[in-house]
Amino acid sequence: MAAHLRAAGFPESDLHSFAVPEHPKDGGLVAVLPGTDHGAKAILLLAHLDVVEARREDWTRDPFTLVEEGGYFYGRGTFDDKSMAAVWVDTLVRLRKQGYKPKRAIKMALTCGEEAGSAFEGALYLVKHERQLIDAAFALNEFAYGVLDAQGYRVVMEIEAGEKTDQDYRLEVVNPGGHSSRPVKNNAIYHLAAGLTRLGDYEFPVQLNDTTRTYFSRMSDIVGGETGAAMKALAADAADAKAAATLSQDPRLNAMLRTTCVATLLEGGHASNALPQRARANVNCRIFPGVAVEDVRRRLEGIMADPQIAVTTVEPSDPVVLPPPLTAAIMKPIEQVTHRIYPGIEVVPVLQAAGTDAIYLAESGIPTYGLSGMFVDPDLSNIHGLNERIRVQSLYDGRDFLFSLVKLYAEEVR
Ligand SMILES: [Zn+2]
């Protein structure tokens, strides 16, 4: 990608590759197209280069070869996130070749380690060590798209404005144990099991913010019916319990409405003929923006209602950040480009329950929005799964979409 940019005329001084010696196969690239207005803050285009693992033997086609077939590009990363990385590079190449001089600088950061937490986290590295290099008024990132219905018709253009915090907690009961021929009531596994049952029955309170209120009010007419009515009612009154109950039946909507916590791992006991000395569960929470990690830990303690169950936060904990603001300066260009390329399609902001690099940028003071302008099938192109794909048309429409949007933002300085 650096070679493409070099060939387009980017001088070496505007290309910055980065890596650390502990991860010789990882690394990333920052490129800068300087702006003419030196008082104006840059915009940052973000994408990650790494992908989720793919087992060759399980795929229909080689996951590491780009295959075009039946209107789709197949391959690991075709959707998540090489499509956007490629479009950003293509955008910079085209702008440079046109001799285009943006008012504000356009920066691009291609990162690594987004998918696997243990690898070299490129975005976190940039925030910690190259903050000035990526400094920007706001950033555009992955993880929101246009939604197609099962027949392939366009439904709505989603943009991500806010992410929940992904946080693990450990529940643990320790006990002196003993011989299983002489059971006692005070049993580590039973304590934990009873606590988990209470967690399974518990629902965190409904919360709304600007993003979700706008989502529900704009989606209500598009969705219609009982769900649409419930969306309208909830957007008007966050305390409408009946509307919340209706929407909570859909796992995606439920995740937008509240903090969620779910048991994901379980271990206990040490021998088939011994009373358990230990029982432990991992609880994965997706915390509503703005709620403190410690508040959720205390809430879990309250739900357990059993002093024998110790609730601890699994470190390191992710930052909790508030959603980026839905200002006219951000939304108008998105709506303008959407209406030109996809007439009749509404733009709706969503709160993302899963995390991306946006959380690190947001924590460091760069408001980060997710949008690709690319329409995706209802199964989300099977990202992270088998036979990941993207519609060829979606990729090229998204290319036009993002190119036009970047130009609008680059001109508009306030
Ligand atoms: Zn991704």
Side-chain angles (χ1 to χ4, degrees):
M1 284 166 150
H4 280 289
L5 295 169
R6 242 175 245 128
F10 276 81
E12 220 50 51
S13 54
D14 289 335
L15 299 173
H16 311 263
S17 55
F18 61 93
V20 289
E22 302 84 68
H23 297 278
K25 289 188 170 177
D26 288 1
L29 174 70
V30 177
V32 180
L33 185 64
T36 53
D37 180 346
H38 294 291
K41 271 191 133 178
I43 65 172
L44 177 64
L45 316 177
L46 189 72
H48 66 89
L49 298 168
D50 62 315
V51 293
V52 173
E53 192 54 74
R55 283 161 53 92
R56 255 202 186 97
E57 56 273 32
D58 295 345
W59 280 53
T60 308
R61 306 158 196 83
D62 180 359
F64 302 111
T65 303
L66 185 66
V67 176
E68 183 177 351
E69 194 181 307
Y72 285 90
F73 288 121
Y74 288 87
R76 174 55 91 225
T78 44
F79 201 87
D80 181 14
D81 184 30
K82 293 183 186 296
S83 45
M84 277 189 80
V87 167
W88 291 148
V89 172
D90 172 73
T91 297
L92 288 185
V93 163
R94 288 158 77 192
L95 292 176
R96 185 100 215 177
K97 280 186 175 164
Q98 290 172 6
Y100 178 71
K101 300 232 183 308
K103 273 195 189 142
R104 55 165 128 210
I106 302 171
K107 299 179 174 182
M108 175 189 73
L110 304 177
T111 63
C112 53
E114 194 272 343
E115 299 286 6
S118 58
F120 169 42
E121 230 298 350
L124 189 56
Y125 173 88
L126 290 172
V127 162
K128 276 189 178 162
H129 303 287
E130 299 284 359
R131 180 63 181 73
Q132 237 357 79
L133 182 61
I134 59 162
D135 190 42
F138 62 93
L140 304 179
N141 183 36
E142 61 164 340
F143 221 35
Y145 16 72
V147 177
L148 295 172
D149 67 13
Q151 284 73 45
Y153 290 108
R154 295 178 185 127
V155 180
V156 71
M157 175 63 76
E158 293 187 349
I159 66 158
E160 178 194 301
E163 287 185 1
K164 294 171 91 178
T165 296
D166 179 348
Q167 183 63 52
D168 285 324
Y169 297 88
R170 181 179 298 120
L171 310 181
E172 188 169 44
V173 185
V174 291
N175 187 288
H179 201 287
S180 63
S181 64
R182 294 171 157 206
V184 293
K185 292 291 176 199
N186 180 19
N187 176 300
I189 288 177
Y190 294 160
H191 274 283
L192 182 65
L196 289 175
T197 301
R198 287 191 285 275
L199 177 62
D201 292 338
Y202 181 80
E203 273 194 337
F204 281 78
V206 169
Q207 289 182 272
L208 284 186
N209 59 24
D210 211 22
T211 298
T212 56
R213 200 174 291 111
T214 309
Y215 175 82
F216 287 123
S217 78
R218 289 194 182 176
M219 282 305 284
S220 58
D221 287 335
I222 297 169
V223 172
E226 197 199 346
T227 306
M231 286 174 162
K232 191 161 282 170
L234 195 77
D237 176 12
D240 188 328
K242 191 164 159 282
T246 302
L247 300 178
S248 300
Q249 289 166 25
D250 180 323
R252 186 187 183 208
L253 300 180
N254 182 53
M256 269 202 240
L257 283 175
R258 49 168 57 91
T259 294
T260 63
C261 290
V262 62
T264 52
L265 296 167
L266 197 54
E267 57 182 293
H270 56 285
S272 61
N273 58 354
L275 299 176
Q277 285 167 211
R278 178 172 268 110
R280 202 186 260 172
N282 184 81
V283 171
N284 181 249
C285 296
R286 302 300 170 114
I287 302 174
F288 197 84
V291 177
V293 169
E294 174 59 15
D295 285 356
V296 175
R297 193 197 64 78
R298 271 203 294 268
R299 180 67 66 111
L300 287 171
E301 251 174 18
I303 299 162
M304 292 301 117
D306 180 348
Q308 297 238 31
I309 307 175
V311 181
T312 50
T313 301
V314 177
E315 299 293 348
S317 51
D318 269 353
V320 172
V321 293
L322 291 173
L326 297 171
T327 57
I330 291 293
M331 294 300 285
K332 280 267 155 56
I334 298 173
E335 285 163 350
Q336 192 182 323
V337 176
T338 301
H339 296 153
R340 180 172 64 73
I341 302 182
Y342 310 114
I345 296 298
E346 174 104 86
V347 176
V348 300
V350 296
L351 172 66
Q352 205 57 262
T356 71
D357 281 341
I359 207 145
Y360 301 118
L361 272 78
E363 195 198 21
S364 86
I366 304 174
T368 301
Y369 302 85
L371 81 177
S372 70
M374 299 174 200
F375 275 84
V376 64
D377 295 315
D379 68 355
L380 288 188
S381 278
N382 228 18
I383 60 169
H384 292 205
L386 277 183
N387 305 318
E388 180 179 349
R389 67 194 192 286
I390 185 171
R391 287 177 183 240
V392 173
Q393 187 66 44
S394 291
L395 179 70
Y396 284 107
D397 286 346
R399 175 180 184 247
D400 288 347
F401 179 96
L402 293 172
F403 183 81
S404 307
L405 186 63
V406 167
K407 272 184 96 164
L408 282 179
Y409 282 141
E411 286 312 309
E412 170 202 89
V413 175
R414 34 189 98 163

